[in-house]
Amino acid sequence: MAAVSGRLLLSSRGWFPFQFFVRHGSKAVTRHRKPMHILRQKLLAVTEYIPPKPAIPERCIRPRQQEVQEPSTLEKLIRRDVEMAFRENKMIAVFQNNSINSEELRLLRHRLLKHNIRMKFFPNQVLRSYLTDTKYKNLLPLFIGHNIIIVSKEPKTKELLQIVRSTTQITLLGACIENALFSRQGVVKYSRLPGLQVIRGEVVSGLTQMTSQTYQLLNNGPVLLTTLLEQYLKQQSEAATGQEDSTKVELKEAERSQGS
């Protein structure tokens, strides 16, 4: 009660507790940045450095990163057929399809089948993906647009050109014959070569002629030596016979002279 009464007495007399003044170090900001003059702003805007733009846009320099998509089941089947066609056939000719109609295409297929030559159709996307990592990659420039592939297990270029000659809606671009690449002119020259049997006969006849010439060259020396020896013996025998005859004549003359 005494404490409470003491507080009331102090408050009634106007007494307050001690107050402490703390001086802070920060001062009020009274200076503001002077705004830039309008002429200086214009001068800085005019003289601002603007980097030159590249001649080629950046989107053209950096190729787009395409997502690698896994081939579908149909593409895998077509790729397997392409691989079998290039592995099992010795002649693979590439033609450009110049809008040939279905009737002429059917007749052409029938004429080719008579010589066991077949016609194939494959998408260019699958062909390019297969040929990129093989030894036939030089054929890639031929597969542009609509193409027809004609294959056969034996190189029948002569029959192929004779059949295709009457069909003007397709054009020969190139071929791969026995693992060798040929242009259109190369295929034409290859078709003019003789058959394999004829070439083998020519090779055998050439080898036989060479062996016969070698035999003659090797045999000329002994034959000539034998002929010379025979001639020498003949001359020696004739000389000996002549000496004997002359001796006999001299003896006869000597006997006649003694008898007389």
Side-chain angles (χ1 to χ4, degrees), residues 123-184:
N124 289 342
Q125 181 180 0
V126 180
L127 281 168
R128 286 179 171 276
S129 63
Y130 168 73
L131 296 176
T132 302
D133 301 329
T134 60
K135 59 184 178 181
Y136 307 105
K137 60 183 178 180
N138 291 332
L139 289 173
L140 285 173
L142 302 181
F143 294 101
I144 298 175
H146 300 283
N147 299 109
I148 301 175
I149 300 177
I150 298 178
V151 298
S152 66
K153 294 185 178 180
E154 297 296 332
K156 300 179 180 180
T157 55
K158 188 175 182 179
E159 293 82 354
L160 174 63
L161 293 178
Q162 288 178 353
I163 295 171
V164 178
R165 187 179 301 171
S166 60
T167 307
T168 58
Q169 284 79 12
I170 60 175
T171 306
L172 177 63
L173 300 178
C176 177
I177 303 173
E178 293 183 343
N179 297 327
L181 301 179
F182 292 90
S183 61
R184 184 178 181 276

Side-chain angles (χ1 to χ4, degrees), residues 3 39 54 61 80 87 147 203 246-247:
L39 295 177
I61 298 174
R80 187 177 63 181
R87 185 178 65 249
N147 299 109
V203 171
S246 61
T247 305

